[in-house]
Amino acid sequence: MEPSSVPVLKRRSRPPVPKRDVEDNFDHSKFTAKRGKSRTKPSASGTKGRPSNETQNVRSNIVGRVERHRNAGGHMRRCICRWIMTYGRWLDPYEFVMSYNDGQGCPICRVKFRSEDSQSDHFDMHGKEFAIFARDGDRRVTRYAFRLEIKYLPRYSRMSIRIENDSNAVLVLRSVYLLQLDKRLDATLGGPLRMAPGYTYEIDHTIEHCIPNHVYTVILVATVACSRVELIEQYHVQMLKSTKIVGKPLKMDILPYHHIPDYLIAIYKNNFEHSNNFNRLAMLCLENLRQFIKQGLTPTNYIEQLRLLNMIEDYDLQTIFSTYTIHNALVSPAEQNRRYIISVDQFQVAPAMLEIDGYVRITVQRSSGPRGAILEYVNGYIDAISEDDIVVTMQQPVRFHLPCKVEFPLNRTQYKLEYNALNLISRIDLEKFLFTKSLPKKKKPVRQTEFRWFQPTIANNREQMTAIRNIINMTSFPAPYVLFGPPGTGKTSTIVEAVLQIWKNQPKASVLVAASSNLACDEVTKRLRQFIPEEEIFRFFSRSCERNIDNIDIGILEISNLATGIYEVPSYEHVYRCRITVSTVTNCGRFAQAHINSTFFDYVFIDECGSAKEVSALVPIAGVCTEGPKIQASVILAGDPKQLGPVVRTEYLKQTVHNTSLLDRLMSQGIYKRHKGQYNPLVITKLLDNYRSHGALIHYSNEWFYDGELRACAAPDLADWAVGWSYLPNPVFPIIMHSVVGVTRMDRQCLSSYNKEEARCVLHYIQKILSDGINDRQIREEDIGVITPYSKQVSYLRHGCRNYGWENVEVGSTEQYQGREKPIMILSTVRSQRDHVGFLSNSKRLNVAITRARALMIIVGNPDTLQRDPHWYRLLRYISDNQGVRGVEFQPKQPDIDLSGQPFSYAMEEEDFA
């Protein structure tokens, strides 16, 4: 067997942390705190069997104490594992029989030491964190073989290392090393251990001092059973500080079920058309819906209209999820306890909308009696989704050999919080708050005009300074203040600076920062933490975030309710003690649910407000900073109405205000509307300086979306380094349109499109850039982003990147990249040889896709198909005029229809979201 034939281990799906924030009829209390139940643990000698009585007694006592301490606030400290790399190598016979713990050489490199000095020199060469060096013939394995979970018990100076075989191969674990503070590798495993797929083993290792935030290195050495293939896997481990959350936890009211009325269901089933079979309520509701479309949102119909539209979306999704029910399902057990596999081919309808962490219910007929069948219901959640299978984790074992029914109920928590927000917001004066026609006369003088900036670049940006001054001085109160931030203009920096100035200059003020995604929240938190003491800032995570805890920055975890490594409900004292709180838009609804004092927050920032439904934007406002008819806090809405708006899947709702964000609606009317080419700076500020991209990369969007007002201000070392690359058709124009005449194919399972020819072209560019670099600049995998609007093309390209070992080349949809950037972006359009471009005709989606790159943009697609849309025609004409085309030649041809100045039509938009 040659070194090149080292097997690439297929990764098994990770068992997730159980979710508890679920529907009322889901009992998640049966889940344990651990991620899955451990199997019988081998003895210290490495042989299988039951631990000795003495060891068993010690372990049971420790576990009992740890559980009690964790419930009281937590002394057990979780360590966050950052997987680094896995190497596979072919061992010669001498290396294969050599002892792994002989202490005479480096256990990783197999280098023999002649003296202590040579040993010290060799270990110094590995570096502070013991970096693994590849030998000749070593091959980087694209998937890790093991999964680690490490916890530290300070009272017993003991580190618990839980190792699971996460591959589909039988592995022989030969050594486990822990790098100590004195750069000494401690062997923690007594002897070789054979581990079948899914097998779990726990090691208790005594360590005198475990320092928070210190990076420990754990190295696993294993061989693939019945072969001479050795695997070396390295992890970097950091221990959390385990900040206690003390006091009375938030007590949240139970959210009402919010039943969808029968008359609305009847209208929905009749496709919102008139029927003589409708009762009086249905007739009245249908007439109201028609009037609402004509009127738009007004103070008088605001609550009723948003509630009806939200119920339509709610019921539509419930209907879609009900079609995923499988009767007489075949459920196969996985190796781990309580985990089961459901093959995709059992679905009558492609389960395109199922997501990880979604609910699942399995109904089993336990027995039958004179009164009928006795049914057993087992609840769980989706653990992993692949093209062929769905892996679920259940609360208790399922009798899979019996006939069963599998259902996937919709998680309605978001909708319940939105209904609650509508109930609370209905008490305030909507005309003054959300339909303001004129600014009220200020009774209070301006608080402050001079500032000492935390971020020096703010002092050179007139628009940012204006926005911060007006935000702090509440110039628009009680109406919201709007921060209009085109791509790369420093919207997040402006929000961060405004929060910092409030924190510094108003010692008694408290701030709530909400964003649509956890990534956006983490970015804001990371920037704020550079200046604000950790005891004054709190990152509030939802329970579902515990699943991805290993991917969250440790500095953010330490100031959050995940500080112990396990989700904890924050206490009232903890929330009131911190002056700055950051959470997602939906999770902010928990504060209203827990009756947090409505006068506590003085400012509420909502970032990426342009991508949220209007009713969703009310969640962090209603009940959080409103009390009865009064508005207690100044609200700041930040976003860009020219980028992607709310994700609405129901065709009827796309024609209603449900498809418009609060930010977009406000900017089109009243005091926010542009007058004589200018915005009123007391209520809205448009940022103009682009600090992200090369001028050529923002030129098109600037001309067609931002009135030509943006200024290219990016630093040359950030944006100009790709200019002059030999592969550019025009050396001074860092955009490539690579013309490919591919074939658009549709996947039969997810009903999404993909294009193999374009995928090959994308992978070719990635390979060339990574291997050759650009202008003598070495490009990292993290520097390249791939964006494509079709979910199937996303998975197809991710699979291709994994096959090449490019684990850090990120592939995502347009929605996933909104608000983000990369030095190099590659766009695969997929659409080819069709009469129209489908939902690619959404100009907002195009604007997002072409403004993510800093230095280089590569577009791969069929220009003959793309230019059938006027938005794409203008872009292709711009690139063609600048000689930026490669591949198959094409001639720009203007489409018959020009949509200049017209709103985007959704008539031909497809139901395909990544």
Side-chain angles (χ1 to χ4, degrees):
M1 187 176 181
E2 297 299 325
S4 60
S5 62
V6 172
V8 178
L9 300 178
K10 184 177 180 182
R11 181 175 64 88
R12 298 172 51 80
S13 301
R14 294 188 173 197
V17 176
K19 288 181 60 177
R20 296 178 187 171
D21 183 15
V22 294
E23 290 284 357
D24 301 336
N25 58 347
F26 272 68
D27 178 17
H28 284 255
S29 60
K30 296 180 181 179
F31 281 118
T32 59
K34 285 191 174 184
R35 295 186 177 184
K37 190 176 181 180
S38 301
R39 302 194 173 202
T40 302
K41 189 170 72 171
S43 62
S45 63
T47 59
K48 294 182 180 180
R50 182 181 302 173
S52 64
N53 292 335
E54 181 180 356
T55 304
Q56 191 174 11
N57 292 335
V58 171
R59 286 290 297 162
S60 62
N61 291 336
I62 292 175
V63 171
R65 291 177 182 176
V66 169
E67 291 292 333
R68 287 194 294 274
H69 283 303
R70 189 192 65 203
N71 295 334
H75 287 287
M76 177 179 64
R77 299 182 182 179
R78 177 169 177 168
C79 299
I80 303 302
C81 297
R82 315 290 189 188
W83 172 74
I84 305 302
M85 64 183 66
T86 302
Y87 280 112
R89 62 177 54 153
W90 179 253
L91 298 179
D92 59 41
Y94 171 74
E95 290 179 319
F96 190 73
V97 300
M98 189 181 79
S99 171
Y100 281 79
N101 297 313
D102 59 5
Q104 299 176 2
C106 177
I108 309 304
C109 303
R110 300 288 185 266
V111 174
K112 289 292 184 179
F113 300 140
R114 298 180 180 178
S115 64
E116 292 185 1
D117 291 339
S118 62
Q119 176 180 354
S120 178
D121 293 341
H122 178 83
F123 275 72
D124 287 340
M125 183 179 64
H126 279 286
K128 181 180 178 181
E129 298 175 1
F130 204 93
I132 295 179
F133 300 123
R135 307 188 315 182
D136 292 339
D138 285 2
R139 180 183 173 188
R140 178 79 175 267
V141 178
T142 59
R143 285 296 185 188
Y144 41 75
F146 296 97
R147 175 176 168 268
L148 259 65
E149 184 177 284
I150 300 180
K151 297 176 182 177
Y152 179 61
L153 312 178
R155 176 169 297 186
Y156 306 98
S157 299
R158 183 169 300 177
M159 182 176 285
S160 176
I161 306 174
R162 183 177 183 269
I163 305 172
E164 178 184 348
N165 182 354
D166 210 29
S167 72
N168 281 351
V170 177
L171 303 177
V172 179
L173 181 64
R174 296 188 174 273
S175 301
V176 179
Y177 297 100
L178 174 67
L179 184 67
Q180 296 281 20
L181 296 176
D182 57 0
K183 298 183 180 180
R184 175 172 51 87
L185 280 179
D186 274 5
T188 64
L189 184 67
L193 174 67
R194 185 181 179 91
M195 302 182 70
Y199 189 89
T200 300
Y201 180 73
E202 289 189 23
I203 301 171
D204 288 339
H205 181 69
T206 301
I207 177 171
E208 293 184 1
H209 302 288
C210 191
I211 303 175
N213 289 343
H214 177 76
V215 178
Y216 291 86
T217 299
V218 176
I219 300 175
L220 309 182
V221 182
T223 55
V224 179
C226 303
S227 74
R228 295 210 305 268
V229 175
E230 182 181 59
L231 297 172
I232 299 179
E233 193 158 284
Q234 179 179 15
Y235 293 80
H236 283 176
V237 178
Q238 286 179 282
M239 184 193 70
L240 292 172
K241 286 184 179 179
S242 188
T243 305
K244 295 181 182 179
I245 294 181
V246 295
K248 183 180 178 181
L250 299 180
K251 185 177 181 181
M252 302 178 191
D253 292 342
I254 297 176
L255 294 170
Y257 177 75
H258 282 281
H259 176 72
I260 309 298
D262 293 338
Y263 59 83
L264 187 60
I265 295 175
I267 295 173
Y268 170 87
K269 291 182 177 179
N270 204 49
N271 199 26
F272 302 95
E273 297 292 338
H274 175 77
S275 172
N276 292 327
N277 296 324
F278 286 167
N279 60 26
R280 182 176 176 275
L281 290 176
M283 296 286 288
L284 181 61
C285 180
L286 181 60
E287 180 60 28
N288 286 341
L289 287 171
R290 291 175 176 175
Q291 289 298 321
F292 290 157
I293 292 179
K294 295 178 182 179
Q295 297 169 359
L297 281 176
T298 66
T300 55
N301 69 26
Y302 189 82
I303 303 300
E304 184 182 1
Q305 183 173 180
L306 289 183
R307 181 179 283 113
L308 277 175
L309 297 179
N310 215 41
M311 285 194 293
I312 291 171
E313 183 181 52
D314 185 0
Y315 183 75
D316 178 67
L317 289 178
Q318 291 185 57
T319 303
I320 293 174
F321 275 68
S322 67
T323 63
Y324 301 152
T325 299
I326 307 174
H327 300 274
N328 297 320
L330 298 177
V331 181
S332 304
E335 283 83 359
Q336 291 91 344
N337 189 27
R338 298 184 292 105
R339 299 182 74 229
Y340 302 91
I341 301 172
I342 304 170
S343 59
V344 174
D345 56 14
Q346 298 184 71
F347 289 90
Q348 294 183 352
V349 177
M353 295 182 61
L354 292 184
E355 297 178 346
I356 292 175
D357 283 342
Y359 298 157
V360 59
R361 178 189 293 120
I362 297 180
T363 305
V364 181
Q365 181 176 331
R366 188 170 59 185
S367 61
S368 59
R371 296 184 179 180
I374 300 177
L375 302 179
E376 180 180 6
Y377 302 91
V378 184
N379 297 316
Y381 52 88
I382 298 174
D383 183 13
I385 299 176
S386 67
E387 296 181 5
D388 302 319
D389 302 307
I390 293 178
V391 181
V392 299
T393 299
M394 309 307 294
Q395 291 178 345
Q396 61 191 46
V398 179
R399 303 183 184 186
F400 57 87
H401 59 280
L402 298 175
C404 62
K405 180 175 72 171
V406 180
E407 301 171 272
F408 298 90
L410 173 68
N411 181 357
R412 300 183 64 226
T413 302
Q414 174 186 341
Y415 292 98
K416 291 180 180 180
L417 289 170
E418 290 168 352
Y419 295 135
N420 190 49
L422 285 173
N423 292 336
L424 295 169
I425 208 74
S426 64
R427 304 169 187 172
I428 71 170
D429 188 343
L430 293 173
E431 197 158 349
K432 290 183 179 179
F433 182 46
L434 298 176
F435 295 88
T436 311
K437 296 180 180 179
S438 62
L439 285 175
K441 294 181 180 180
K442 291 294 178 182
K443 297 180 180 179
K444 295 182 180 180
V446 173
R447 301 180 183 182
Q448 191 168 359
T449 57
E450 298 296 329
F451 299 92
R452 295 183 63 181
W453 306 109
F454 287 84
Q455 303 169 93
T457 55
I458 300 290
N460 300 319
N461 190 303
R462 183 180 61 187
E463 291 77 23
Q464 287 181 321
M465 289 191 294
T466 300
I468 293 167
R469 287 192 182 101
N470 292 340
I471 288 171
I472 292 174
N473 291 314
M474 299 184 179
T475 56
S476 65
F477 186 83
Y481 192 93
V482 172
L483 182 63
F484 178 10
T489 53
K491 173 171 58 64
T492 303
S493 298
T494 307
I495 293 174
V496 169
E497 185 69 32
V499 174
L500 291 172
Q501 293 297 337
I502 295 168
W503 169 76
K504 176 184 177 183
N505 297 302
Q506 300 180 31
K508 295 184 179 180
S510 297
V511 180
L512 174 64
V513 183
S516 57
S517 68
N518 281 296
L519 285 175
C521 290
D522 291 346
E523 179 62 28
V524 172
T525 306
K526 187 176 180 180
R527 296 194 194 188
L528 289 173
R529 197 175 182 274
Q530 298 175 7
F531 306 97
I532 298 178
E534 62 180 37
E535 63 270 11
E536 295 194 40
I537 183 170
F538 177 55
R539 173 70 170 94
F540 182 26
F541 284 103
S542 63
R543 189 181 297 276
S544 61
C545 294
E546 186 180 357
R547 172 189 177 90
N548 299 315
I549 192 171
D550 287 346
N551 299 321
I552 303 173
D553 184 270
I554 195 166
I556 297 174
L557 288 174
E558 290 173 347
I559 56 173
S560 76
N561 56 319
L562 288 178
T564 61
I566 299 172
Y567 175 85
E568 291 184 279
V569 178
S571 67
Y572 287 94
E573 291 84 348
H574 195 85
V575 173
Y576 290 140
R577 186 190 67 197
C578 298
R579 293 181 54 201
I580 313 296
T581 303
V582 185
S583 190
T584 59
V585 168
T586 300
N587 205 44
C588 286
R590 301 301 187 187
F591 291 133
Q593 195 181 352
H595 301 286
I596 287 290
N597 192 330
S598 60
T599 62
F600 175 68
F601 293 111
D602 300 276
Y603 296 85
V604 176
F605 291 79
I606 305 178
D607 194 10
E608 297 296 344
C609 187
S611 62
K613 301 179 301 182
E614 176 147 355
V615 66
S616 299
L618 300 179
V619 173
I621 300 173
V624 180
C625 62
T626 64
E627 183 178 17
K630 295 183 179 180
I631 303 165
Q632 305 288 354
S634 179
V635 177
I636 299 91
L637 309 178
D640 181 3
K642 303 297 182 181
Q643 298 187 50
L644 282 172
V647 176
V648 178
R649 305 174 190 273
T650 309
E651 194 62 36
Y652 174 79
L653 293 177
K654 292 177 182 178
Q655 316 301 326
T656 69
V657 296
H658 206 66
N659 195 43
T660 304
S661 68
L662 173 61
L663 181 78
D664 202 350
R665 182 181 66 80
L666 289 180
M667 289 183 59
S668 64
Q669 62 187 35
I671 59 176
Y672 300 95
K673 195 171 182 179
R674 196 164 188 164
H675 181 65
K676 295 182 179 180
Q678 299 294 326
Y679 290 108
N680 184 348
L682 296 178
V683 297
I684 182 172
T685 297
K686 179 182 178 182
L687 304 179
L688 301 178
D689 290 345
N690 180 284
Y691 298 104
R692 173 187 294 169
S693 307
H694 186 275
L697 298 176
I698 65 170
H699 177 80
Y700 174 82
S701 291
N702 187 24
E703 292 298 319
W704 288 102
F705 299 106
Y706 303 109
D707 303 308
E709 295 178 332
L710 300 188
R711 300 182 287 258
C713 300
D717 59 341
L718 181 72
D720 295 352
W721 52 265
V723 173
W725 184 34
S726 60
Y727 215 68
L728 288 173
N730 181 352
V732 298
F733 186 70
I735 302 178
I736 300 175
M737 172 63 213
H738 195 111
S739 177
V740 175
V741 181
V743 178
T744 302
R745 301 169 175 86
M746 180 170 288
D747 183 80
R748 64 182 181 86
Q749 294 291 352
C750 63
L751 304 180
S752 179
S753 300
Y754 63 106
N755 190 313
K756 294 182 179 180
E757 293 77 15
E758 288 190 18
R760 283 195 289 266
C761 185
V762 170
L763 296 175
H764 166 74
Y765 272 106
I766 297 174
Q767 187 175 39
K768 180 173 181 60
I769 292 171
L770 290 177
S771 59
D772 299 345
I774 296 178
N775 295 336
D776 298 326
R777 183 188 185 111
Q778 187 64 38
I779 305 299
R780 304 174 305 162
E781 294 178 12
E782 295 85 350
D783 296 333
I784 302 175
V786 181
I787 187 170
T788 180
Y790 289 90
S791 58
K792 178 60 182 178
Q793 187 78 342
V794 169
S795 61
Y796 191 81
L797 284 167
R798 283 176 180 170
H799 182 72
C801 288
R802 285 198 297 265
N803 286 343
Y804 279 97
W806 303 327
E807 292 293 322
N808 296 319
V809 174
E810 185 177 356
V811 184
S813 67
T814 316
E815 286 77 8
Q816 291 166 333
Y817 265 106
Q818 178 153 308
R820 305 179 57 213
E821 60 188 68
K822 289 276 188 177
I824 301 170
M825 290 298 304
I826 305 176
L827 168 62
S828 173
T829 60
V830 179
R831 201 80 179 180
S832 180
Q833 302 186 52
R834 298 293 178 91
D835 295 333
H836 56 84
V837 297
F839 66 69
L840 292 182
S841 61
N842 187 332
S843 60
K844 294 183 177 182
R845 181 171 280 110
L846 173 62
N847 183 32
V848 172
I850 63 176
T851 54
R852 303 303 97 196
R854 296 180 197 156
L856 177 63
M857 182 75 202
I858 301 171
I859 302 173
V860 179
N862 185 339
D864 288 329
T865 299
L866 295 174
Q867 66 181 350
R868 295 174 185 269
D869 174 75
H871 307 297
W872 276 96
Y873 166 75
R874 297 190 197 108
L875 176 62
L876 295 176
R877 184 63 183 265
Y878 166 64
I879 298 174
S880 177
D881 290 346
N882 286 277
Q883 295 85 45
V885 180
R886 295 185 69 93
V888 180
E889 294 184 3
F890 78 99
Q891 294 296 325
K893 181 181 177 182
Q894 188 167 357
D896 297 333
I897 301 175
D898 190 353
L899 299 180
S900 298
Q902 298 182 20
F904 168 68
S905 172
Y906 288 90
M908 303 171 72
E909 184 164 4
E910 304 144 293
E911 296 298 333
D912 183 7
F913 297 87

